[in-house]
Amino acid sequence: MDYEFFMQMALEEAQQALVRKEFPVGCVMVYEDSVLVTGARHHSAPENQNELDHAEMLALRRLVELGGKIDRSKVVVFSTLEPCLMCYAALIVNGIRHIVYAYEDVLGGGTGLELTNLNPFYKEMNVVIVPGILRHGSLGLFNKFFSDPCNDYLKGTLLAEHALRQ
């Protein structure tokens, strides 16, 4: 599978979010080398802000709507930012076992959670995590976002500071 090809598609989703003044995270879900669904961050602006409309959650909802004929253990998720704990848990509980991301989330990334320390339901999950694919492209979007004085979302946080130092 061409990780860079599909991550570039996720970066395009993130770019579209940035154009809408949203936090620039994009997600693409791939099955047998075909894109099934996509998602981009929504509702990160103060007037409608919520922490449910993450790119991965929106894509996951679309995947679920496709029905049960897809072997989710063979779906590969491409996200421009390391999934947070909420998204990571939602993905693995829904059968996703392969996650590829571009940029590390030093503030809230959840993929470092050691599943073997949890209850048996999670302990036996074998999840493949591939970090750093097209990291520079994602970092560029975060630099634009955090440099724009009109964007207040996560300003001044460890993630913003980390992105702006790079």
Side-chain angles (χ1 to χ4, degrees):
M1 178 172 294
D2 187 345
Y3 285 176
E4 290 187 3
F5 175 79
F6 292 112
M7 187 59 76
Q8 185 59 48
M9 295 176 83
L11 285 167
E12 290 168 12
E13 290 288 320
Q15 175 64 42
Q16 291 173 18
L18 183 64
V19 167
R20 293 190 320 273
K21 302 289 187 192
E22 296 282 357
F23 194 56
V25 180
C27 178
V28 172
M29 294 189 178
V30 176
Y31 180 72
E32 296 180 346
D33 287 325
S34 295
V35 173
L36 289 175
V37 294
T38 63
R41 181 67 160 100
H42 282 272
H43 301 117
S44 60
E47 60 272 4
N48 294 322
Q49 188 173 348
N50 76 58
E51 291 302 329
L52 296 173
D53 293 334
H54 289 198
E56 300 91 343
M57 297 299 281
L58 295 174
L60 185 57
R61 286 183 192 134
R62 292 176 182 135
L63 178 67
V64 170
E65 289 171 0
L66 293 178
K69 294 187 179 192
I70 295 163
D71 180 355
R72 293 185 192 165
S73 70
K74 294 180 181 175
V75 171
V76 181
V77 172
F78 292 85
S79 183
T80 60
L81 182 65
E82 177 185 2
C84 70
L85 190 55
M86 172 186 70
C87 292
Y88 181 55
L91 291 169
I92 64 173
V93 166
N94 279 280
I96 306 296
R97 297 294 180 264
H98 197 145
I99 300 169
V100 180
Y101 67 84
Y103 188 65
E104 66 277 4
D105 184 350
V106 298
L107 178 66
T111 65
L113 178 65
E114 186 58 52
L115 298 176
T116 57
N117 293 331
L118 299 178
N119 290 330
F121 180 74
Y122 305 98
K123 184 180 287 197
E124 298 169 8
M125 291 181 180
N126 183 17
V127 181
V128 175
I129 307 293
V130 180
I133 303 300
L134 297 183
R135 181 183 183 274
H136 186 71
S138 184
L139 174 59
L141 295 175
F142 287 109
N143 279 328
K144 286 180 187 175
F145 181 83
F146 289 125
S147 295
D148 184 343
C150 295
N151 295 326
D152 290 330
Y153 185 72
L154 298 180
K155 278 244 166 123
T157 65
L158 181 61
L159 179 62
E161 292 170 7
H162 183 70
L164 292 171
R165 278 194 314 260
Q166 310 261 328

